[in-house]
Amino acid sequence: MSNSNILTKADVLKYLKTENLDIFVFESVTSTNKILKEMALSNAKEGTVIIALSQTDGHGRYDRKFYSDFGGIYLSVLLRPKLLNFDTTLLTSAVAVAVSNAIDEVAKRSTKIKWVNDILLDNKKVCGILCEGGFCGDDGFFVMGIGINACPTVNGLDDQIKNIATTLFDTYSPDILATLCARVIDNLFYEYSHLKSREFLTTYRQKSAVLGKKITVLSRGEIIGKATALEIDDDCRLLVEFENGEKKKLISDEISIKIAN
Ligand code: BTN
């Protein structure tokens, strides 16, 4: 561990098992996803990882602002899958399992996954995952962006998210951040290399915060109905039953859900 109170690349490498990655650690960036997408277009290799200690323009699904103050972990990983018709929902869900397991292992907590890719601790969001794709010539790439509310930030959580978000640890520690970053990256590459077997689905279902729950279904932020979450199928679609008895398989691209209290 370095003497500095700031997380460094050397700290992360100390705990990391995955080899041949290109890792960059910055104190502050606009958005790790944005930077990594630009690097992907300039031929950065699979396994390029950007870690930032804060972001000035962190974003989530539907371009929502992602609160990214010093204290959290903001991390993006570049993947260049060889398969045609690569399924982004499966990839994102597998990454959710990787991150949820990493958090549980390091923080000794028991997190849940809210379909499709939010990680909850005590029913509050502790991590968001954003998968963004692009093309470099004919070849597709994916940037997996992971934002974890790890340690308390100087000013505490933003008023707007205080009631729905939480942090993992009570005090700031670069050593904890390094351990968590390394575990997230190791688990992510494990799940990525086992994606075809879909073995992650068992854990994804076990950790589900939504199965059996009453939910509100939204399409691009607009409520489209209330339903009960019944099942997650092998393609990670969520089978729900609306109040009028209609059953539907939800696909994550357009749809988000809220869990009723
Ligand atoms: C969401 O909650 O909708 C997803 C949030 C994803 C946030 C992460 S933080 C690292 C990466 N950089 C970004 O700008 N977004 C992702």
Side-chain angles (χ1 to χ4, degrees):
M1 181 71 219
S2 72
N3 289 329
S4 150
N5 206 25
I6 298 267
L7 175 78
T8 65
K9 177 173 165 178
D11 297 333
V12 179
L13 290 180
K14 197 174 128 188
Y15 296 105
L16 192 72
K17 296 196 185 92
T18 315
E19 292 176 342
N20 297 321
L21 305 179
D22 272 355
I23 299 187
F24 300 87
V25 180
F26 298 106
E27 259 185 74
S28 182
V29 295
T30 49
S31 151
T32 54
N33 264 32
K34 189 166 174 249
I35 291 179
L36 196 50
K37 276 189 285 177
E38 283 161 12
M39 288 173 73
L41 293 172
S42 305
N43 285 323
K45 71 169 194 182
E46 172 166 273
T48 305
V49 179
I50 308 267
I51 299 169
L53 308 183
S54 65
Q55 300 182 116
T56 53
D57 195 19
H59 60 277
R61 289 177 83 200
Y62 315 125
D63 224 13
R64 285 191 200 122
K65 177 182 157 68
F66 188 79
Y67 179 73
S68 309
D69 233 349
F70 185 83
I73 292 175
Y74 314 102
L75 180 155
S76 299
V77 179
L78 178 60
L79 301 176
R80 294 186 181 277
K82 304 268 177 305
L83 304 170
L84 287 174
N85 300 325
F86 199 80
D87 190 317
T88 54
T89 306
L90 279 183
L91 177 61
T92 315
S93 309
V95 169
V97 167
V99 179
S100 174
N101 281 339
I103 293 174
D104 290 0
E105 287 153 17
V106 175
K108 309 273 178 286
R109 302 299 295 262
S110 184
T111 51
K112 296 264 182 202
I113 301 171
K114 176 176 161 276
W115 185 88
V116 58
N117 53 359
D118 283 343
I119 314 283
L120 306 185
L121 178 66
D122 300 332
N123 298 319
K124 289 186 168 181
K125 181 161 167 169
V126 77
C127 169
I129 298 167
L130 178 67
C131 171
E132 294 187 285
F135 279 92
C136 201
D138 287 341
D139 298 325
F141 65 81
F142 294 98
V143 168
M144 306 305 305
I146 298 158
I148 306 177
N149 305 328
C151 301
T153 54
V154 180
N155 299 311
L157 286 173
D158 196 77
D159 278 347
Q160 285 178 345
I161 58 167
K162 242 182 203 155
N163 296 330
I164 51 166
T166 188
T167 44
L168 257 186
F169 303 102
D170 291 335
T171 50
Y172 175 82
S173 155
D175 200 48
I176 281 180
L177 293 185
T179 317
L180 189 55
C181 280
R183 195 57 71 91
V184 164
I185 297 166
D186 284 336
N187 285 4
L188 187 151
F189 280 100
Y190 175 86
E191 296 300 344
Y192 179 51
S193 61
H194 290 77
L195 198 60
K196 235 172 134 190
S197 72
R198 300 188 188 205
E199 68 178 43
F200 76 90
L201 276 168
T202 308
T203 311
Y204 191 86
R205 291 178 181 123
Q206 279 166 358
K207 281 178 165 278
S208 175
V210 303
L211 287 179
K213 296 270 171 65
K214 299 248 184 270
I215 57 170
T216 304
V217 182
L218 301 100
S219 175
R220 299 217 142 254
E222 298 287 316
I223 294 179
I224 57 170
K226 290 191 191 298
T228 304
L230 300 178
E231 215 178 285
I232 292 165
D233 77 5
D234 288 352
D235 294 320
C236 268
R237 289 172 301 189
L238 182 66
L239 176 69
V240 301
E241 181 170 354
F242 284 96
E243 284 179 328
N244 64 5
E246 184 195 1
K247 285 189 181 171
K248 226 177 177 172
K249 276 190 172 171
L250 305 180
I251 299 171
S252 69
D253 296 2
E254 297 270 306
I255 300 289
S256 58
I257 58 169
K258 277 189 180 151
I259 304 170
N261 293 324

